[in-house]
Amino acid sequence: MASDLSIALSQLHALLLQLAEAEAAFSEGPRSIMVAEKQVAQMEQQIEDQKAKIKQTRKNADELNLKLKTKESELKKYEGQLNTATSNKEFDIIKGQIANVRTDQADFENAAFEAMEEIDATQVALKNLETKLKNRRQAAVTIKAEVDAGKPALEATLENLKVQIEVAEKVIPPGEGLSAYRRLRIASGPGALAGIEDDFCDGCNCKVTNQDLVRIRTGEFMRCRECNRGLYVV
């Protein structure tokens, strides 16, 4: 049968666990806001990168169109020279030059067409990113509103639990045991205490000696010889 001290320590442990859960929930709010804001910032950067890509693609298309105009000028020049050729050799040379220009023209036209298609695709991608950014901004606003709305209740819960714990901790007798408990509580919260099940410490799974079990059952505050947690009988 559990002693009054074990019952009190069990209740204290339950409060410590509740406090840890409440603190985790309280910390989760700012983390959720930070993640949402980070996602917004990442999406904004993706949009800037996409705009830069569109700008570069347009620049490439303009350069290709300029090269096409240059080739058109060359073609007109060679066609004019073709009409004034004075020998078959000169005629053949000019025809070869015209063929090369037309080949270059075809390559540039294909590249320019692909560049225009890429511009269309990148603009569609930009619109999709802008839609996603709008959704993420709205999600970030919603998350912040929810966190702000729930904050007062969480703060009240935390304060209430701290008061209850402060009262419940008075069952631990002053001395080295209380000092060890406080050190462990700072380090691991609810890990400052552990129940005993089947003669084993729940904290470290080490067997509790028979002598210690007798002392715990008679209401003495004892710590696990392995992990130093305050022990109570479940």
Side-chain angles (χ1 to χ4, degrees):
M1 182 176 178
S3 65
D4 290 343
L5 179 60
S6 280
I7 293 171
L9 290 175
S10 176
Q11 293 170 345
L12 171 58
H13 196 192
L15 289 171
L16 291 174
L17 289 168
Q18 290 175 46
L19 179 63
E21 290 176 3
E23 288 174 336
F26 190 78
S27 299
E28 182 59 29
R31 277 198 296 269
S32 298
I33 293 173
M34 183 178 66
V35 169
E37 290 176 344
K38 184 177 180 181
Q39 289 176 339
V40 168
Q42 288 174 338
M43 187 58 63
E44 288 173 340
Q45 184 58 53
Q46 287 183 43
I47 286 174
E48 290 304 311
D49 292 344
Q50 190 67 16
K51 287 179 179 178
K53 184 177 181 181
I54 291 172
K55 184 177 179 180
Q56 183 60 48
T57 305
R58 283 176 175 162
K59 181 180 178 182
N60 294 342
D62 290 342
E63 289 175 352
L64 288 167
N65 286 327
L66 182 61
K67 288 178 180 178
L68 272 172
K69 289 180 181 179
T70 301
K71 290 300 174 182
E72 287 172 2
S73 298
E74 288 180 12
L75 185 60
K76 288 179 181 178
K77 181 186 74 173
Y78 289 135
E79 286 174 343
Q81 291 175 353
L82 191 64
N83 294 328
T84 60
T86 56
S87 66
N88 289 336
K89 182 177 180 181
E90 184 181 359
F91 186 85
D92 290 338
I93 290 172
I94 294 171
K95 281 187 68 175
Q97 290 171 327
I98 289 173
N100 290 336
V101 170
R102 283 177 174 164
T103 297
D104 290 341
Q105 267 188 317
D107 291 339
F108 290 144
E109 284 173 353
N110 289 334
F113 179 76
E114 290 174 359
M116 294 305 296
E117 286 189 326
E118 186 177 357
I119 289 173
D120 291 340
T122 52
Q123 287 176 330
V124 170
L126 176 61
K127 288 181 179 179
N128 291 336
L129 288 172
E130 288 172 340
T131 298
K132 288 181 180 179
L133 174 60
K134 182 179 178 181
N135 293 336
R136 288 193 177 179
R137 280 176 173 164
Q138 184 56 52
V141 170
T142 300
I143 289 170
K144 188 176 187 308
E146 290 175 348
V147 170
D148 289 344
K151 188 175 180 179
L154 276 172
E155 287 176 336
T157 298
L158 285 169
E159 188 60 31
N160 183 45
L161 284 169
K162 288 175 182 177
V163 170
Q164 292 184 65
I165 288 169
E166 186 177 354
V167 173
E169 286 176 338
K170 291 179 180 179
V171 299
I172 302 174
E176 176 55 28
L178 180 59
S179 298
Y181 160 81
R182 285 175 175 164
R183 288 194 297 270
L184 275 173
R185 188 187 160 190
I186 291 171
S188 57
L193 298 173
I196 300 171
E197 286 195 36
D198 298 326
D199 299 344
F200 284 85
C201 168
D202 274 347
C204 63
N205 203 35
C206 287
K207 185 171 175 50
V208 180
T209 66
N210 290 332
Q211 182 182 359
D212 286 348
L213 282 170
V214 170
R215 296 171 69 182
I216 291 167
R217 288 193 176 103
T218 57
E220 188 174 346
F221 182 73
M222 299 292 297
R223 289 173 285 142
C224 176
R225 294 176 184 271
E226 186 66 28
C227 66
N228 213 31
R229 289 177 171 89
L231 296 173
Y232 61 88
V233 177
V234 177

